[in-house]
Each structure stands twice: as C-alpha cells, then as structure tokens.
Amino acid sequence: MAQQKNICFIDFETTGIDIYKDEPIEIGALVVDGELNIINKFYSRISLPNNAIIDNSAFDIHGIKYSDLYESPSQENVINLFFESMGTDYCFASWNISFDVGFFKKICYYNNMIDTFNKINYRHIDVQSISQVANRLNIFNKEVNSLSECVNYFSLKRKKYHNAYEDALLCKEVYENIINKIQAMI
C-alpha cells in the first residue's frame, strides 16, 4: 500500500459534544508512514479551563474524573508538546473527523497556534465515512456503523472504552483493515 503522506490518527475525550461550550480533556494520536507503520505517538490528559462548563454525563462515558485532571497540563502546554513531538507533516484521520479536528483547531486558536495548525495537510480522512462506503460495497456482509462495531467485526482487542490513545490506535487498525479489504476486491 503506497501512500505519499503520513497520517496522524487522532482522538479526543471531551466534556461533551458541543465544540463551542465543551472542552477537550484527553488527546491521543499516532503518526503512521505510507505503509501504516507507527512512527510517532502522543497522549496527554488536559486540564480544564477555569470557566469550563461541564456535562457530567460525559464523565460517565469516559470514566475520567475531575480529580484526574487537576495535575494535567494546560491546553497551551499540551498543544505545544503535541507540535514539538508530532510536527505537522501529515493529514489527520479519525472516526468522525469533524469532531476531533474541530476540538484540535479550537485549542490551536485559543493558544495562538493557528499558524502551526495551518501547516497540517487539510485533506483529512474520516474513517467513519470510509466505513459507510465499505457498507455500501458490502465489505462487512452486515451493517457496521460504529467504531466499536468495526473493532468487533475485525476481532481487534480493546482494553478500555473511550481512551483517546486507544481509540486513535483502533481507528488506525480499522482503517488499515478496510483498506486491505477494498484492495483485495480490486
């Protein structure tokens, strides 16, 4: 499988799903090369801004507690560490790309890193949309609509639901499996 650009699979855990009022509290990412070999990894919890509005049901979903975030680095520190570690030579990929890139861009904007964000290849990959194409091509032989359903279909191992790094890794593995199935059809 020859691709020309690196891909950064990224995932956020957040205080809710509204990009305008909710905040990211965990980021996981991995960069892969054109052969989908992992070449870099990143994970961090993110402390909450003082004015954060919290949807407590979100904490029930990912199991992260307020106390888990007290010692976590600020958004500014996390985004700086991210770019120091991961650079910008990739496009993003995730399950529901608009959600994750939206939160990433928000952090960049509020921490004066939008110029660095703009260096990332803007042609992002939405693995959720790719899975819908796979459904239409009858690749799964049944309707598969969520990351968890894809993980189960491909018999991938999950240790914990809603962990940002593990979800980014599983998204990469689902993407790789779907691409391999499509290539086998060609």
Side-chain angles (χ1 to χ4, degrees):
M1 169 185 331
Q3 296 177 345
Q4 296 184 3
K5 295 276 185 182
N6 294 338
I7 301 170
C8 179
F9 288 87
I10 190 166
D11 187 74
F12 280 97
E13 295 303 322
T14 64
T15 60
I17 60 171
D18 187 331
I19 192 169
Y20 299 106
K21 72 172 188 164
D22 293 312
E23 298 294 336
I25 58 173
E26 189 177 62
I27 180 175
L30 54 119
V31 174
V32 299
D33 63 17
E35 299 299 319
L36 299 179
N37 299 307
I38 297 172
I39 57 176
N40 207 347
K41 302 175 187 179
F42 186 86
Y43 170 81
S44 183
R45 292 252 168 100
I46 308 168
S47 66
L48 289 169
N50 291 335
N51 62 347
I53 299 170
I54 310 301
D55 178 353
N56 286 326
S57 64
F59 285 97
D60 293 337
I61 291 170
H62 47 61
I64 298 170
K65 300 177 180 80
Y66 289 105
S67 59
D68 297 332
L69 302 173
Y70 288 136
E71 301 291 322
S72 298
S74 68
Q75 288 183 5
E76 180 180 18
N77 288 340
V78 170
I79 200 65
N80 282 314
L81 289 169
F82 182 91
F83 283 124
E84 284 175 25
S85 173
M86 306 294 269
T88 59
D89 185 25
Y90 46 77
C91 68
F92 279 128
S94 77
W95 189 271
N96 188 0
I97 193 71
S98 61
F99 180 86
D100 294 301
V101 169
F103 275 98
F104 190 86
K105 189 172 185 178
K106 176 183 175 179
I107 294 173
C108 290
Y109 178 79
Y110 285 114
N111 292 285
N112 300 312
M113 298 293 286
I114 203 70
D115 288 340
T116 307
F117 171 84
N118 287 335
K119 293 177 184 175
I120 298 168
N121 182 334
Y122 63 89
R123 289 187 170 96
H124 307 303
I125 300 168
D126 185 19
V127 179
Q128 184 178 36
S129 294
I130 292 170
S131 77
Q132 293 306 302
V133 171
N135 275 330
R136 291 184 181 265
L137 295 173
N138 204 27
I139 287 175
F140 298 124
N141 300 320
K142 66 177 189 171
E143 193 75 13
V144 177
N145 292 305
S146 69
L147 180 59
S148 291
E149 289 175 359
C150 285
V151 165
N152 291 336
Y153 177 83
F154 291 117
S155 300
L156 302 172
K157 302 296 181 216
R158 182 187 281 277
K159 295 176 187 161
K160 182 182 177 193
Y161 284 87
H162 297 288
N163 170 276
Y165 180 78
E166 184 173 15
D167 284 352
L169 177 61
L170 288 169
C171 189
K172 176 255 187 210
E173 292 175 359
V174 164
Y175 173 82
E176 185 172 17
N177 276 284
I178 292 172
I179 295 300
N180 288 340
K181 282 194 163 277
I182 291 172
Q183 285 182 331
M185 293 174 62
I186 298 174

